[in-house]
Amino acid sequence: MSDYFFPKLQAVEALAPYRLRTTWSTGEVLRVDVGDILRKTPALSAILKPEIFARVRIAERGGSIEWFDTEFGEDNVYAWAKEQAGEVSHEMFDGWMRRNDLSLTTAAEALGISRRMVSYYRTAHKAIPRAKCRVCCLIAAASAARPLAVRIAIGGSCKFS
């Protein structure tokens, strides 16, 4: 778990079927469905048993949720919960930067914000406003050959593709 990730998991509760109620240091209470992840990974199939799933807990040293020796990092759980709620996660933002080969500086210039704010978005220290999400989508959808001003003017919707 990265020391740079801000929201800290304070509580986790198993809900049926394969949903978790998570409480965060930000005050957010988020639900996340981990059923698909558990089903896609054969090594995690034992957790699909309701009596085992119900034993979820925060790892002894924090930073993850666990069942026996299997764990999910809190940054992943937070991102999955945000995305399932229809919000933009820090992982989506970071993926957008990587796919577009953007540094903190070039992402800041493209979005018209400071490098510090880009860093906050990448580490979930600050929520990503819808308007910035739209700009990221427009940039991703635009042709790299067009000037930036033209690329930002193009309309459309995406999930940081």
Side-chain angles (χ1 to χ4, degrees):
M1 164 54 36
S2 169
D3 290 334
Y4 297 109
F5 181 69
F6 173 68
K8 301 298 178 200
L9 186 61
Q10 295 182 322
V12 63
E13 175 187 0
L15 306 172
Y18 315 118
R19 287 184 176 83
L20 301 171
R21 181 179 187 264
T22 57
T23 305
W24 299 89
S25 59
T26 58
E28 297 168 288
V29 176
L30 302 171
R31 292 175 189 247
V32 60
D33 186 334
V34 295
D36 286 345
I37 296 158
L38 295 173
R39 284 186 279 278
K40 288 178 186 176
T41 310
L44 303 177
S45 63
I47 300 170
L48 291 168
K49 295 178 184 172
E51 64 274 11
I52 294 178
F53 185 78
R55 295 181 191 167
V56 67
R57 64 182 180 267
I58 296 176
E60 188 174 317
R61 295 185 182 177
S64 64
I65 60 170
E66 67 181 6
W67 296 267
F68 307 110
D69 62 344
T70 301
E71 63 184 46
F72 292 144
E74 66 185 359
D75 59 332
N76 292 327
V77 175
Y78 187 77
W80 298 335
K82 290 295 228 177
E83 291 168 20
Q84 289 175 15
E87 298 180 36
V88 178
S89 75
H90 65 286
E91 289 183 353
M92 292 170 71
F93 187 79
D94 184 62
W96 169 77
M97 287 181 61
R98 290 179 191 280
R99 281 188 304 280
N100 290 285
D101 197 28
L102 299 173
S103 65
L104 289 174
T105 300
T106 56
E109 289 170 357
L111 297 173
I113 59 177
S114 69
R115 291 178 80 244
R116 182 180 306 252
M117 191 59 68
V118 171
S119 179
Y120 285 156
Y121 292 165
R122 283 183 68 190
T123 58
H125 273 73
K126 302 269 183 187
I128 303 166
R130 279 275 171 219
K132 295 302 176 198
C133 171
R134 287 187 197 110
V135 173
C136 292
C137 291
L138 296 175
I139 292 170
S143 164
R146 296 181 180 158
L148 182 58
V150 173
R151 287 190 271 152
I152 292 175
I154 298 171
S157 63
C158 76
K159 291 189 179 182
F160 282 66
S161 54

